[in-house]
């Protein structure tokens, strides 16, 4: 809270309005800055601070309400503004007292937590749930406990031995492959499941990313087959969706990241240099972007230029530099050359 005092100030001025102070006028002194009482107001709503309480951010002062609205995060549980310590977890912000285990309700701010099935759990509850669930899937057909990996079929889990391969009749396990028709499942289909041997004989391509059958559009690249949405840039992980890709050491890259990692980006526009590349000062430039950094006059391969702050300067601008600056630039160039 700022101090309010009564004093005589002859050569002092208000920080906000710049006017002086009357003799014996009440003033506000905040961190060595002086204000008229009517000038010491919120930077957002321009109202006097209630009870003199304010919050400061980046050199500007705000009343409590405006500070909360502008800068304070909202708690993911209670929805109130958070003033003070903020817990960032589960893609949200929390009061320390609001961030609790979703099983036993113990506070997690200092104890740590584990994300399990989209929920924040303490270590003890996570261990208990993990132990209970190893891995007690319930078969959708016989309602018995499934020991080991379940067979997943049409959104449900089963014991694999409830099904047989639609081709050879062998009893199935969790490695069975499901095959759809182009128009979806046929109404009278009893079984669309196949053992791995029969599935491979059908010649249905397998996605190189998810290892699942590809039943619709297919992308063939890098010696493999891919679902359209799974054929992505190795750097940004965005699908190509038919756009051009670049291959390097068995990986695919979009144009921007391929040139960023292995090619040339213009120092000025940061775009891939599609045409001729001008290389100078350990940088690459579009030919039409290579220009004097002082006057923007275009430079060419035959132009005389000088290095100035790691950028080119034309001869005319260089000769206008102070003599001391030119001397230092020459020394720096000679030192770099010797190294």
């Amino acid at each position: 809270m700022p101090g309010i005092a009564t004093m005589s100030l002859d050569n002092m001025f208000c920080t906000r309005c710049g006017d002086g102070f009357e003799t014996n006028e009440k003033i506000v002194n905040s961190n060595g800055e002086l204000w008229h009482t009517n000038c010491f107001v919120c930077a957002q709503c321009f109202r006097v601070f209630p009870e003199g309480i304010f919050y400061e951010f980046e050199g500007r002062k705000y009343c409590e309400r405006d500070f909360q609205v502008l800068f304070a995060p909202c708690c993911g549980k209670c929805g109130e503004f958070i003033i003070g310590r903020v817990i960032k977890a589960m893609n949200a912000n929390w009061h320390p007292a609001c961030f609790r285990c979703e099983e036993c309700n113990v506070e997690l701010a200092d104890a740590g937590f584990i994300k399990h099935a989209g929920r924040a759990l303490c270590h003890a509850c996570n261990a208990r749930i993990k132990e209970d669930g190893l891995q007690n899937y319930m078969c959708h057909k016989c309602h018995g406990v499934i020991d080991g990996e379940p067979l997943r079929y049409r959104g449900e889990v089963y014991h694999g031995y409830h099904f047989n391969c639609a081709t050879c009749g062998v009893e199935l396990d969790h490695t069975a492959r499901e095959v759809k028709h182009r128009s979806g499942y046929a109404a009278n289909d009893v079984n669309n499941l196949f053992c791995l041997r029969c599935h491979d004989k059908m010649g249905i391509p397998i996605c190189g990313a998810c290892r699942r059958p590809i039943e619709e559009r297919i992308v063939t690249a890098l010696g493999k087959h891919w679902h359209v949405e799974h054929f992505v840039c190795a750097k940004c992980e965005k699908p190509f969706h038919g756009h051009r890709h670049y291959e390097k050491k068995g990986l695919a890259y979009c144009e921007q990241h391929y040139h960023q990692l292995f090619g040339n980006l213009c120092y000025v526009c940061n775009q891939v240099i599609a045409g001729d590349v001008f290389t100078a000062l350990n940088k690459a430039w579009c030919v039409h972007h290579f220009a004097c950094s002082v006057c923007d006059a275009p430079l060419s391969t035959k132009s005389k230029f000088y290095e100035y702050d790691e950028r080119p300067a034309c001869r005319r601008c260089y000769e206008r530099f102070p003599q001391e600056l030119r001397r230092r630039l020459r020394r720096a160039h000679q030192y770099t050359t010797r190294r």
Side-chain angles (χ1 to χ4, degrees):
M1 179 182 295
I4 299 179
T6 302
M7 62 183 71
S8 176
L9 302 170
D10 296 328
N11 297 318
M12 300 297 180
F13 303 92
C14 175
T15 301
R16 182 167 182 258
C17 69
D19 293 336
F21 300 93
E22 297 294 335
T23 303
N24 298 325
E25 179 184 2
K26 287 185 177 180
I27 66 169
V28 178
N29 185 339
S30 175
N31 296 328
E33 295 181 335
L34 304 179
W35 313 69
H36 293 109
T37 54
N38 292 331
C39 289
F40 192 68
V41 294
C42 172
Q44 181 69 15
C45 66
F46 304 104
R47 295 177 181 175
V48 176
F49 299 112
E51 300 178 359
I53 298 175
F54 69 94
Y55 296 82
E56 188 166 354
F57 183 76
E58 294 184 347
R60 305 184 73 187
K61 298 173 176 60
Y62 301 87
C63 63
E64 183 175 12
R65 177 187 177 279
D66 286 325
F67 179 82
Q68 290 177 343
V69 171
L70 292 171
F71 307 112
C74 292
C75 178
K77 182 177 182 180
C78 68
E80 298 293 331
F81 292 113
I82 305 174
I83 302 297
R85 186 184 180 191
V86 179
I87 303 300
K88 293 182 177 291
M90 307 292 290
N91 297 320
N93 300 297
W94 315 80
H95 289 106
C98 290
F99 188 54
R100 296 175 176 270
C101 174
E102 296 187 36
E103 278 291 314
C104 66
N105 206 39
V106 68
E107 289 190 20
L108 300 174
D110 297 315
F113 76 100
I114 296 176
K115 184 177 180 180
H116 180 88
R119 301 192 303 161
L121 303 177
C122 67
H123 291 273
C125 288
N126 179 73
R128 175 178 56 79
I129 291 176
K130 186 176 181 180
E131 183 178 356
D132 292 343
L134 282 180
Q135 230 354 298
N136 291 339
Y137 294 103
M138 303 298 292
C139 177
H140 186 68
K141 183 174 183 178
C142 69
H143 304 292
V145 176
I146 301 175
D147 296 323
E149 286 292 323
L151 187 152
R152 301 180 184 274
Y153 183 50
R154 299 191 182 183
E156 303 292 347
V157 293
Y158 298 85
H159 290 106
Y161 54 74
H162 289 314
F163 298 89
N164 298 89
C165 174
T167 298
C168 69
V170 68
E171 190 176 275
L172 298 177
D173 58 17
H174 72 278
T175 62
R177 299 290 189 185
E178 180 182 5
V179 177
K180 296 179 183 179
H181 295 289
R182 290 283 181 178
S183 58
Y185 296 111
N188 60 351
D189 277 346
V190 177
N191 192 352
N192 289 293
L193 294 173
F194 300 82
C195 66
L196 287 178
R197 181 191 297 271
C198 292
H199 182 271
D200 290 343
K201 290 180 180 179
M202 297 169 68
I204 299 176
I206 302 298
C207 177
C210 68
R211 307 304 304 165
R212 303 300 299 171
I214 306 173
E215 296 156 355
E216 296 180 355
R217 294 177 59 194
I218 184 173
V219 175
T220 302
L222 304 175
K224 300 178 182 178
H225 304 294
W226 314 80
H227 287 107
V228 174
E229 64 274 15
H230 290 165
F231 186 53
V232 300
C233 172
K235 178 66 175 177
C236 64
E237 298 185 352
K238 292 183 179 180
F240 294 107
H241 289 308
H243 291 91
R244 183 178 181 182
H245 72 277
Y246 297 79
E247 299 180 6
K248 183 76 172 183
K249 295 182 179 180
L251 298 175
Y253 298 88
C254 63
E255 184 176 21
Q256 178 180 351
H257 287 114
Y258 178 84
H259 286 283
Q260 188 179 74
L261 294 170
F262 312 109
N264 294 305
L265 293 179
C266 177
Y267 177 73
V268 175
C269 65
N270 200 37
Q271 298 297 314
V272 176
I273 303 176
D276 295 334
V277 180
F278 193 96
T279 304
L281 306 178
N282 296 320
K283 299 176 180 66
W285 318 68
C286 295
V287 174
H288 58 280
H289 281 159
F290 187 64
C292 174
S293 60
V294 180
C295 68
D296 287 332
L299 297 173
S300 67
T301 55
K302 299 180 180 180
S303 301
K304 177 71 173 181
F305 66 89
Y306 299 83
E307 181 177 354
Y308 172 60
D309 194 22
E310 299 185 352
R311 294 179 296 173
C314 67
R315 182 171 183 175
R316 184 171 58 179
C317 290
Y318 178 81
E319 291 176 349
R320 292 177 180 176
F321 289 163
Q323 184 175 358
E324 177 63 20
L325 175 59
R326 285 184 289 171
R327 184 173 59 84
R328 292 183 179 182
L329 292 176
R330 284 195 298 269
R331 287 183 177 179
H333 177 72
Q334 292 172 358
Y335 174 75
T336 304
T337 304
R338 287 198 299 270
R339 293 182 61 186

